[in-house]
């Protein structure tokens, strides 16, 4: 999978190569995932308006994938580069303006260009295909939700959360009581011109045992890379994660038992993966996202001539990226799993 | 870089392709890193004796790299497959015995075969070359240390810890007071036939700004993948990590300033990377390792015929993988950085 | 570089990742190469009308490449799927209809779908960027021409042929006398409803010594793969090629001498590459293209139900692919060289 | 697959990653192919003595592949670097001495180092595994033979030649009458201190339809790359190849018919591949090898200080590489086909 596109260029898109043939596919399979990622859905996310309408340009014929590259195009619409003139001159703190300039010697300063979270629309669109493949061929489902916003955290059952529960509120936390508090916290941050971070938890259910590779391409390694490539992500932990380091081996190990002729584990601190390979239990992991870097407050910074100055965020922004990070995490997860499903098929037939 | 080898086969090794020519190199550059990873160094790690002597079989001529593939070989020595007969029959909890069997339908049960941490010797050897390249060409240094064992944690200055400080004690924690307690905790766990997990922190200093890629191959994504491919790793966080989700944007952002005509940040919650690309500040991250799965206690499990049974660990084992994880984390970090250094050079000349 | 698109889908395109930043670029740099490949340019090629207008959708800002992926889009225009109804039912001899069906179980029968030479428009567009990079950074030029059509062959000086000479006639053979005969031969074949094959020769001048890799990715290996991936290509030979097998070593070897402090060879049977690496002499090679498979004559074949039947070509077609193969060969050559230039830069700085 | 090793280093070898598990395998499966490639087998090849004994170091357990990387090691034995002292100072015409020096700034001058055909022993060893996989899983056989030496050519039936016929004579041409003349020609060249080139033809039988990829990784493109990566190869043609450019489409097309419910072609000018994908007919192609560059005659050249000088070949050499090229071509072919078999399995299940 390849994505391309800047925040304020003509369009963004993705090319998926290697999708199996004869998967039924149309724009209607992709658009809903894209809509979940899109800005402007509620008061608590950026008001930038993008209809984010995807078009399939190749690889599908008479409603079926051909096995050839699938090209997806999403036109950019609501472009107000005027909002970003100041950014042309100054490096925004904790954004990638400076690092891009120092690396490339050139930068598309309109809306963050390639560094914009808008780039992830291409990933989400592509992943809708991976998700469909996983569901139809292997009955694998991927569901993610917001489990922490600022200091408000919740611990939901990774075996049970449904997408319907997640989408009950714009904050995408399935616990309604906590969700309400989270929404209030985001509103408060927005009024302050400030922002919040948080955590997305993701669960993959129904994955057969045996997917994954033993060493460099362990499933958890590929998952970590995939979600750590999302804008604003700062951490990844699978199964017991960092908290598991408090335990002794005798407390942490997942004992095996047999159920219906299948090998199961009584606990699941492994997070569904052992030695890089799925064991058939639910895969679950958590991804930390920092508070949005754009805030509507004055901050110290430097300009492109390396002089000290100040900058104050303008324009529309997300006071909290978490609700929109949910479909992004699901997308990256589906892409990794679909890749491993095909790789497993290659080697073991 | 490719590694190969099972725990109890004839040898293990690595092949490094793409190393620049004219780097001075001999076994003496590699052996010290390998010795740090080797078992049997102190009472608190596994007593398996492996001299782990590396031999360069190709790619080096008259003390210089040729630009051709470098093949490294480490013979296996202390093989007691008899220790593992029970493993042939039963799946050890939280090991990869079951997942390998279900994936491949065949398994080298001697010492965990390919899943053994012994495989990492090849990576450590290969990474010694990457580390030398980073040091000589770009003055980049990589240093890691144990920052948590069980519930004992320490917060060292990522700008200052040296390898000499790390190696003062066998637990590889640079804070001597805490190190002493950690050693006692590991000893206690060992006496109980139990094990401990913990955290390794790693710092990369001197990295020039501009290394890394913008989207899928962000530097932090590649670092996450690299360390999450190590046996027993359960989590990765860079910069402010999971704790950073408690902060607001106004607290979290790293303000820029100019110092000696260089762009610097006053704080470093970004962890040296912004938008996937280094900003010239110290890169630092933490890696969680679960408690060793092998414990000398009886546990419930199933056998290869899918019948419930019990197993009790035998043989030599590490009650705490952390000290030996230090050179492994350094190794994976050096490999990722060297790759990105060369990639950066490819594109920007 | 990735291309996508079927002959009769909504559009075709290419995504180029890894292009260095700050290369000046606009559609005007790409369109001329695309126009050379386009159908409908003269009486001797297919009359399918495609304006083949390229649009840059990303990766370029204010006339400069950003270092981010460049997405190129070429809308499909002159679609007459009705011309291809018979192809839906029957496998055209020496086309890929049968092999696609047997591989994928589904096929876009409109104009050959992905197998159409139309796919190469994306490659030619992408390669225009590679060509610009090669010219501006290293003064490397790539020029190809038709050296054989049917049984009419010509032997031009690989050191001297210019693009202007090539484009003097629609057949793209720089020898005007032979070109005239070739054009007559193509006309005659067309009147017969038949087709002709031939050979394209390609020369790369100004390439510095040292590009290429020693073993699997030898420059000649990558060139061979690149041109053998073009539709209808059946052979590749570099330097002395097949004819060189007639010679003895003493006749074939290229003796070295020194000229202006540079190492030169008196002859160039090596074709500018020794041991997979350029030696600074002109790289030249030849590519065989079979006669166009589509002919306006009745042929025996089978249908999709595996019954014997006959088919007769209809619609517009190229009686000779050679003139349009010229820009395709140049394109693939430029892409390979640009890749190797960047790879060389990665390793040797 | 990765190979490593210089002609006169400690050893050479290969690592094969991605081999399916549960293939029965031992050194005895590999050694015969290696013996066919080895020097010193007859008067007409180099007298360098190498027993070329392969050892499997990993990836195989109790006679079965594990699915983990297979490491193969072949120690170097008959090292007489003294033979090559002159090469340290002077660039041999049509060898890679100069290009390596200019690329890497360092060179292993002993026996050509990495450029030596000795490197191919690793490929031949690795390919023996690919060949076994192809044979056992899909009943695919690969056989190559010498079809031209100097000006002596033979045209054998690609459907019928067997390995036993090929190995009847040391020249590996299955036509005994021509073989005898070829041997005499090689002897004559050797007496003259000269060398001969020639052509190897290769046939792949039993390949199911559907293997291969449509665009960049067409099967013929990968075959071309694979064999053009062999030392001394100068050309590749598949099916009708260069000679096919003499024909008209009506003469060249392969008409389809049905036989035993299978789609067949009456002729096979396509060479078993259409649109990059196998059609079930025999795949056949030809590879041109130049006359050995090392000759025992004085030639003009330059030294490492860029001064004109002369050089005269010494030591043992192959007056004709063709017999030993036969197993090399088979090896590269088997590797490509096994890769495509697994890739096909990945996508189409």
């Amino acid at each position: 999978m390849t994505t391309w596109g800047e925040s304020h260029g003509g369009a963004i898109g993705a090319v998926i190569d290697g999708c199996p043939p004869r998967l039924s596919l149309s724009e209607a399979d992709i658009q809903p995932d894209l809509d979940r990622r899109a800005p402007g859905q509620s008061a608590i996310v950026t008001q930038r308006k993008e209809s984010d309408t995807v078009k399939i340009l190749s690889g599908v014929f008479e409603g079926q994938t051909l096995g050839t590259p699938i090209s997806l195009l999403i036109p950019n619409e609501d472009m107000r580069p005027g909002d970003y003139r100041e950014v042309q001159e100054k490096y925004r703190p904790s954004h990638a303006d400076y690092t891009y300039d120092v690396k490339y010697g050139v930068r598309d300063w309109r809306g963050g260009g390639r560094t914009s979270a808008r780039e992830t629309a291409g990933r989400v669109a592509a992943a809708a295909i991976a998700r469909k493949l996983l569901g139809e061929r292997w009955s694998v489902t991927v569901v993610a939700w917001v489990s922490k916003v600022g200091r408000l955290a919740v611990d939901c059952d990774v075996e049970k959360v449904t997408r319907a529960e997640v989408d009950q509120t714009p904050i995408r936390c399935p616990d309604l009581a906590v969700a309400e508090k989270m929404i209030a916290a985001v509103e408060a941050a927005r009024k302050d011109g400030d922002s919040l971070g948080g955590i997305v938890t993701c669960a993959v259910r129904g994955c057969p045992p045996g997917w994954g590779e033993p060493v460099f391409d362990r499933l958890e390694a590929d998952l970590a890379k995939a979600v750590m490539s999302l804008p604003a992500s700062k951490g990844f932990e699978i199964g017991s994660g960092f908290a598991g380091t408090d335990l002794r081996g005798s407390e942490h190990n997942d004992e095996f038992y047999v159920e219906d002729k299948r090998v199961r584990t009584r606990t699941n601190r492994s997070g569904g993966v052992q030695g890089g390979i799925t064991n058939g239990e639910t895969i679950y992991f958590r991804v930390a996202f920092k508070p949005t870097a754009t805030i509507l407050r004055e901050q110290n910074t430097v300009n492109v001539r390396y002089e000290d100055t100040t900058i104050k965020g303008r324009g529309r922004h997300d006071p909290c990226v978490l609700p929109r990070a949910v479909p992004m995490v699901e997308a990256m997860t589906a892409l990794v799993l679909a890749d491993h499903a095909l790789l497993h098929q290659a080697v073991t037939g």
Side-chain angles (χ1 to χ4, degrees), chain A residues 220-301:
Chain A
E220 65 267 46
D222 276 344
L223 287 170
K225 174 165 181 171
V227 296
M228 290 301 299
S229 78
L230 289 170
S233 65
K234 300 301 288 180
F236 168 89
E237 58 180 359
I238 188 163
S240 62
F242 280 91
T245 63
D246 284 350
L247 303 180
R248 284 188 157 203
S250 58
E251 300 163 316
H252 189 276
N253 282 353
D254 294 320
E255 292 191 334
F256 287 115
Y257 71 106
V258 177
E259 184 185 75
D260 297 339
K261 303 195 173 163
R262 281 180 52 210
V263 173
R264 300 291 311 272
T265 62
R266 295 228 176 255
T267 49
N268 185 14
R269 295 191 189 93
S270 297
V273 183
Q274 291 176 326
I277 299 168
T278 56
N279 66 358
E281 303 296 327
T282 294
I283 301 164
Y284 66 96
F285 54 88
R286 305 190 335 140
V287 190
F289 290 89
K290 69 175 184 179
T292 317
T294 299
I295 54 175
L296 308 187
R297 292 176 166 209
E298 191 163 273
Q299 299 172 87
N300 294 312
T301 192

Side-chain angles (χ1 to χ4, degrees), chain A residues 303-323:
Chain A
N303 64 20
V304 295
R305 289 174 302 280
Y306 289 15
E307 298 158 343
D308 289 318
T309 182
T310 61
I311 191 169
K312 186 176 169 181
R314 298 177 43 193
R316 301 148 302 177
H317 82 292
D318 268 327
C320 180
V321 77
L322 272 289

Side-chain angles (χ1 to χ4, degrees), chain A residues 14 59-60 100 209 219 240:
Chain A
V60 175
Y100 268 57
L219 188 67
S240 62

Side-chain angles (χ1 to χ4, degrees), chain A residues 108-119:
Chain A
D108 181 356
W109 42 263
R110 301 167 306 168
R114 182 74 178 152
T115 79
S116 166
R118 177 146 184 73
E119 171 271 325

Side-chain angles (χ1 to χ4, degrees), chain A residues 66-107:
Chain A
L66 285 165
T68 56
I70 302 170
S71 176
L72 304 177
L73 186 99
I74 305 165
N76 282 332
E77 291 175 358
D78 184 20
M79 297 185 284
R80 299 192 207 159
D83 281 357
Y84 295 97
R85 281 288 160 191
E86 194 176 16
V87 176
Q88 183 176 9
E89 274 291 299
K90 299 173 179 176
Y91 298 133
R92 292 169 297 167
S94 288
H95 273 278
D97 303 329
Y98 166 65
T99 53
Y100 268 57
D101 245 11
V102 84
K103 181 177 188 70
Y104 297 118
V106 61
R107 170 170 56 104

Side-chain angles (χ1 to χ4, degrees), chain A residues 138-153:
Chain A
W138 297 283
S139 302
V140 171
T141 59
V142 178
V143 60
W145 59 92
V146 173
S147 54
K148 184 168 187 273
V149 165
R151 291 173 181 275
L152 295 161

